[in-house]
Amino acid sequence: MLQLEKKLNPQQIEAVETTEGPLLILAGAGSGKTRVITFRIGHLIENKEVIPNKILGVTFTNKAAQQMKERIQTLLTSGRAGNPAISTFHSFCVRVLRRDITAIGQGRDFTIYDSVDQLKLIKTCLKDMGLEDRVLSPRWTLSRISEAKNKGKHPETLYQQAYDEKIERLAIAFDLYQKKLVEANALDFDDLLLKTVELLEQHDDIRKRLNGHFEYLMVDEYQDTNHAQYQLIRLLTQDHQNVCVVGDEDQSIYSWRGADIQNILSFEEDYPRVRVIKLEQNYRSTKNILGAASAVVSNNQARKGKRLWTEEESGPLIRLYEGSDAEDESLFVIQQILAHQRLKPDDQVAVLYRTNFQSRYFEEACRRYSLQYSVVGGFSFYERAEIKDLLSYLKITLNPKDRISLLRVINTPPRGIGKVTVEAIQNESQGSQKSILEVIEHVISANKFSPRALRALNNFNKQIQSFRQALDNKPLPELLDLILEESGYVRWLREDGTEESQTRLDNLQELVNAARDSEDRGETLHEFLDHAALVSETDNYDEKSKVSLMTIHSAKGLEFPLVCLVGVEEGLFPHSRALLDSNDVEEERRLCYVALTRAKKKLVLTRAKYRRFLGGESFNETEVSRFIGEIPVELIENEEQEVNVKKKTYDGPSYNDAKSIKEFYRKRGKTIDLLPKEQKNFGKTFRVGHYVRHSKFGIGSVVRCEGLGDDSKLTVNFSRYGLKKLIVKYAGLEKV
């Protein structure tokens, strides 16, 4: 017999012992949901004598599935034959399809296409349709196809609902893509779910067989399920309804990849006989941290309602620091980490941010003070592909003989210089001892390649020469802007239109910010590139390091004694792209809840009062995040002390050398475009972060303001048209 009383609290025991009929377990952060799932499976086998292979448990990652298997094995003592089926959704579907897919007209020896295979296939489809990348980018097309599949939409449905020619073309590409998958007897990852659902819907005998085989179904992280997964669960439990789903609507943060929060919110409507059990006792965090997290998320409307509590002590108040700028913010965070590590040298520490580009200042600060760190769930800032691309452009602008850098960008972004052409140029360069750029000039004059290749090479050569000419008369940030625009890199990413591309654009704008910081320090291009090289080297990278830098999404499921949540400002967190939709704002708030509940003992919140946005020249005043205002004031300790950490490895000037940003610039003979604190508005009604409507360009966000009154100039980022500079008195803008 499996003893429960000594290992579980009353609510957990109730969840474990409720084995028949539908069960919804609302498990708050740190409430022991994985423990409940494993004990529930153990209880079914050991105490209810259910045959192990009659139990199916599904989760989202192979790691989670493996951990669940291992925990279950430690509980079992009876030695009953067989094991419960624990797997990911996709693995389970593969097993079903390998046996029965012939019933819907495909062979059992189907191939599973990964993301690389999918990209190759969609490129073939677009080529067959005669569409160039600028009409439908392959990545954008794949992203939209996946989105349609997750919502259960077929090509014909998408076509009927199309509101413009681009969506019509997308629907046609979707249809062709699916036909080519069938021709190749292949499935993509979305198809694994959709084909299984199709199989069970069309063949009741197969559905009944699976219902009879798996008498008990358990689903982890139910708030992250999409429409296809929802349908699959319904079909697998249609006869017996012995389904247990475990989730937390307050941690639903993946709508951008198809997750539908309504699946968990509507569970009681789908299963009228459901029993609902809330796990509200938290075993992770202090009372103050839980109080803050609960207060924030309680402002959401789309939730079932629960309030976490703990037997832990109140713990220290939540520290709030408002730095003068991003560097000041990063230095304060490092100070907190160093102070914590002196007391608790073995503790893991996390710095959490909303978007990847924010990591730069914290990476540089860690290196400055010789702190070992790791960037979790992504590359270090200067190691990201788009950053290395632009640095390569800078390197060959400075040194045209840099072979490696030139080869990296000769066809990035794609400009029609194929592999055969590149290899021929390389061979000639090696044989003649000429640089690659010299060889390019030679083959152009000698007319050695096809007209198309020669045209592409000539354009590339002109671009590099243009960048070299700009070296002497343009500051580094302007040189970077020139390269980004004339190389076509920005246009390439915008046309791609995916979430990933937007992230890469944000990273590139942060590189422009880094260039402006470098200019403020009086550095040359050589010094800027040296700095980037030193920051990107891996000497201080340690996977076992005590400091982890990561996005909040990457932190889900983890916990740390000390958490520093940075950049808590309107437009950054919540993100500017979420501000036009109340549902998106609620997801940002859930993301904040996830961030706060990663902390066990100490929680530090920081923001910069002034920050450069989107590579802008000036510093703009920020607004404190609404999430800060939702935390009870009695739980917050405002940190106003000066940052006082001695530099170890970096001797250059720092914003923190002065009492204010203005003083920093004054000491260096420069001025800074900062508005007085009392002057809130840029122009009559507009400021950075405002959303505006234009008669031609649609809705966009203000990213830069110059001047005051009707004559002020605004730089506005429009989703479909990119950055546009507008004069207020002529633009006819309306604030949204």
Side-chain angles (χ1 to χ4, degrees):
M1 288 287 289
L2 189 61
Q3 299 297 318
L4 306 178
E5 287 76 11
K6 295 181 179 180
K7 298 181 179 180
L8 303 172
N9 67 39
Q11 290 73 35
Q12 291 174 331
I13 292 174
E14 183 184 3
V16 167
E17 292 182 338
T18 304
T19 59
E20 308 306 308
L23 174 64
L24 170 61
I25 302 175
L26 295 173
S31 62
K33 70 175 179 64
T34 305
R35 187 175 182 83
V36 168
I37 294 172
T38 54
F39 266 85
R40 192 171 188 273
I41 293 173
H43 173 70
L44 283 168
I45 297 170
E46 294 287 312
N47 300 347
K48 302 281 291 186
E49 298 186 349
V50 174
I51 299 171
N53 61 18
K54 292 285 187 179
I55 301 169
L56 172 63
V58 289
T59 186
F60 282 84
T61 66
N62 289 313
K63 182 180 179 182
Q66 185 58 37
Q67 288 177 342
M68 197 177 295
K69 288 178 184 177
E70 292 171 356
R71 292 192 184 190
I72 291 168
Q73 287 303 316
T74 63
L75 296 178
L76 302 181
T77 59
S78 64
R80 296 179 67 85
N83 293 302
I86 310 295
S87 73
T88 64
F89 277 98
H90 291 94
S91 295
F92 171 76
C93 289
V94 169
R95 290 201 300 273
V96 173
L97 293 173
R98 289 293 184 201
R99 172 171 173 164
D100 293 313
I101 197 171
T102 54
I104 52 175
Q106 278 193 246
R108 291 192 181 96
D109 58 344
F110 60 84
T111 301
I112 301 172
Y113 275 11
D114 61 16
S115 57
V116 176
D117 299 324
Q118 290 175 253
L119 192 60
K120 289 179 181 176
L121 183 59
I122 200 65
K123 284 180 177 178
T124 302
C125 294
L126 295 176
K127 185 177 180 181
D128 290 352
M129 292 170 64
L131 298 179
E132 299 177 5
D133 284 4
R134 62 183 177 83
V135 180
L136 288 181
S137 84
R139 293 185 185 279
W140 179 87
T141 305
L142 272 182
S143 175
R144 297 289 84 79
I145 289 173
S146 180
E147 182 183 306
K149 286 185 175 184
N150 284 330
K151 292 178 179 178
K153 291 184 178 180
H154 299 285
E156 54 270 23
T157 310
L158 194 63
Y159 189 85
Q160 291 167 0
Q161 296 175 350
Y163 51 83
D164 61 20
E165 189 177 354
K166 186 175 182 180
I167 304 301
E168 288 179 356
R169 287 170 170 168
L170 170 64
I172 295 168
F174 182 6
D175 185 55
L176 184 58
Y177 172 80
Q178 287 300 120
K179 287 177 179 175
K180 287 186 179 294
L181 280 174
V182 173
E183 289 172 5
N185 194 28
L187 304 178
D188 63 17
F189 278 94
D190 293 320
D191 283 335
L192 295 176
L193 295 167
L194 293 171
K195 291 293 182 182
T196 306
V197 169
E198 181 185 337
L199 177 69
L200 301 189
E201 285 180 335
Q202 295 183 7
H203 296 273
D204 203 49
D205 57 327
I206 298 173
R207 182 195 61 76
K208 285 182 176 294
R209 189 185 73 232
L210 287 171
N211 274 231
H213 183 84
F214 295 112
E215 296 177 355
Y216 298 90
L217 172 62
M218 270 166 276
V219 185
D220 192 16
E221 303 287 4
Y222 187 66
Q223 77 279 348
D224 295 333
T225 53
N226 60 27
H227 183 69
Q229 289 159 336
Y230 163 83
Q231 288 178 300
L232 179 63
I233 292 164
R234 294 273 288 174
L235 289 163
L236 288 173
T237 58
Q238 188 172 316
D239 294 343
H240 54 69
Q241 295 205 343
N242 290 332
V243 55
C244 168
V245 300
V246 186
D248 182 3
E249 79 281 10
D250 291 333
Q251 295 187 72
S252 179
I253 58 174
Y254 294 117
S255 66
W256 49 275
R257 68 184 191 193
D260 188 351
I261 192 175
Q262 289 302 319
N263 291 350
I264 192 168
L265 295 178
S266 304
F267 192 82
E268 291 165 86
E269 298 174 18
D270 296 331
Y271 296 88
R273 297 190 298 112
V274 66
R275 186 167 180 180
V276 181
I277 298 173
K278 297 181 180 181
L279 304 183
E280 297 174 302
Q281 184 175 357
N282 177 280
Y283 295 91
R284 177 186 299 155
S285 306
T286 64
K287 285 186 174 68
N288 287 338
I289 292 170
L290 290 183
S294 296
V296 170
V297 81
S298 67
N299 289 278
N300 275 358
Q301 298 298 312
R303 64 191 302 261
K304 307 294 285 188
K306 57 185 174 303
R307 193 171 187 90
L308 296 182
W309 63 276
T310 181
E311 293 179 346
E312 296 288 321
E313 59 186 14
S314 296
L317 293 175
I318 297 162
R319 283 194 168 180
L320 173 63
Y321 181 72
E322 297 182 323
S324 54
D325 67 349
E327 185 177 21
D328 185 17
E329 178 191 33
S330 67
L331 293 175
F332 177 81
V333 168
I334 296 304
Q335 182 190 50
Q336 298 303 300
I337 293 172
L338 290 172
H340 183 82
Q341 289 185 336
R342 282 194 291 270
L343 298 173
K344 303 281 186 179
D346 294 328
D347 275 0
Q348 296 283 333
V349 176
V351 178
L352 306 184
Y353 36 80
R354 175 61 180 86
T355 53
N356 275 301
F357 77 83
Q358 293 173 257
S359 74
R360 178 176 71 87
Y361 276 108
F362 300 96
E363 288 181 56
E364 295 186 3
C366 283
R367 288 193 59 85
R368 191 179 300 181
Y369 303 114
S370 302
L371 274 173
Q372 290 186 316
Y373 71 94
S374 61
V375 179
V376 180
F379 291 103
S380 176
F381 181 81
Y382 287 100
E383 290 295 320
R384 290 165 189 157
E386 61 275 13
I387 302 300
K388 290 177 75 71
D389 288 343
L390 265 294
L391 291 176
S392 292
Y393 272 110
L394 286 176
K395 289 174 183 178
I396 58 177
T397 300
L398 197 61
N399 174 23
K401 294 183 179 180
D402 184 342
R403 183 186 188 89
I404 298 299
S405 295
L406 193 142
L407 289 173
R408 180 180 180 94
V409 299
I410 191 171
N411 200 42
T412 304
R415 51 174 59 89
I417 304 175
K419 289 182 180 179
V420 174
T421 303
V422 173
E423 287 173 3
I425 291 171
Q426 283 184 270
N427 293 335
E428 185 161 338
S429 172
Q430 290 168 350
S432 65
Q433 301 300 309
K434 293 180 180 177
S435 72
I436 290 193
L437 208 57
E438 289 170 333
V439 171
I440 288 175
E441 292 173 348
H442 171 71
V443 299
I444 292 171
S445 61
N447 207 27
K448 284 193 172 186
F449 296 114
S450 68
R452 182 183 178 188
L454 285 171
R455 190 164 53 250
L457 287 169
N458 190 44
N459 289 339
F460 177 67
N461 184 52
K462 284 181 177 178
Q463 284 179 1
I464 301 302
Q465 300 307 327
S466 169
F467 302 156
R468 287 182 55 74
Q469 289 173 8
L471 267 176
D472 297 327
N473 55 39
K474 285 189 181 293
L476 177 56
E478 291 183 24
L479 176 61
L480 260 177
D481 282 334
L482 178 72
I483 293 172
L484 282 167
E485 291 298 330
E486 289 199 4
S487 68
Y489 210 104
V490 169
R491 183 175 64 254
W492 177 49
L493 291 178
R494 281 179 183 154
E495 288 172 352
D496 195 49
T498 61
E499 187 79 20
E500 180 188 355
S501 296
Q502 185 56 56
T503 298
R504 296 177 72 187
L505 281 169
D506 290 344
N507 289 337
L508 289 171
Q509 294 301 333
E510 183 60 23
L511 182 65
V512 178
N513 285 351
R516 297 198 187 283
D517 290 345
S518 178
E519 184 187 30
D520 296 338
R521 294 193 293 264
E523 292 178 348
T524 64
L525 175 55
H526 274 295
E527 290 169 326
F528 175 71
L529 291 172
D530 289 347
H531 174 73
L534 290 171
V535 172
S536 64
E537 70 177 13
T538 57
D539 290 347
N540 274 7
Y541 181 87
D542 181 3
E543 289 187 352
K544 297 181 179 179
S545 59
K546 302 300 182 182
V547 180
S548 297
L549 312 179
M550 65 183 81
T551 64
I552 304 169
H553 284 97
S554 298
K556 189 170 180 291
L558 305 177
E559 58 184 41
F560 306 88
L562 168 63
V563 167
C564 301
L565 176 59
V566 303
V568 193
E569 305 151 22
E570 287 290 299
L572 197 54
F573 191 36
H575 199 284
S576 59
R577 293 197 291 274
L579 298 180
L580 293 177
D581 190 315
S582 60
N583 292 326
D584 291 343
V585 172
E586 290 213 349
E587 178 146 335
E588 291 287 298
R589 187 174 283 111
R590 292 192 292 270
L591 194 58
C592 183
Y593 171 82
V594 168
L596 300 179
T597 54
R598 297 314 93 193
K600 297 169 68 176
K601 301 296 183 183
K602 296 180 181 177
L603 177 61
V604 176
L605 310 177
T606 67
R607 62 175 287 251
K609 294 180 181 178
Y610 296 91
R611 190 182 296 275
R612 280 193 176 108
F613 289 101
L614 293 174
E617 293 180 24
S618 62
F619 284 80
N620 298 120
E621 189 175 6
T622 68
E623 286 186 46
V624 64
S625 171
R626 68 191 69 191
F627 303 148
I628 297 294
E630 293 170 355
I631 298 174
V633 293
E634 64 270 18
L635 300 180
I636 293 179
E637 175 187 10
N638 278 290
E639 184 64 62
E640 298 179 351
Q641 68 187 51
E642 294 289 326
V643 177
N644 185 25
V645 182
K646 293 182 179 180
K647 297 179 179 66
K648 290 184 178 181
T649 61
Y650 178 77
D651 296 320
S654 165
Y655 302 140
N656 200 54
D657 292 340
K659 293 180 180 179
S660 70
I661 303 176
K662 286 184 176 179
E663 186 181 345
F664 168 82
Y665 281 87
R666 183 182 57 77
K667 285 183 175 181
R668 290 152 183 81
K670 297 186 179 185
T671 58
I672 182 170
D673 182 19
L674 284 178
L675 292 178
K677 280 189 176 180
E678 65 273 8
Q679 189 174 335
K680 297 284 187 181
N681 290 329
F682 295 82
K684 286 185 174 179
T685 57
F686 305 108
R687 63 175 172 173
V688 171
H690 278 171
Y691 280 83
V692 296
R693 182 181 285 106
H694 188 272
S695 58
K696 176 181 179 182
F697 304 131
I699 293 175
S701 62
V702 179
V703 299
R704 187 179 176 190
C705 306
E706 300 169 84
L708 297 171
D710 286 343
D711 292 323
S712 63
K713 296 179 182 178
L714 304 181
T715 302
V716 183
N717 188 21
F718 296 99
S719 58
R720 294 189 64 182
Y721 295 92
L723 294 176
K724 299 290 182 182
K725 289 191 175 182
L726 305 168
I727 299 174
V728 169
K729 66 180 176 184
Y730 300 123
L733 296 173
E734 298 176 4
K735 193 163 72 172
V736 178

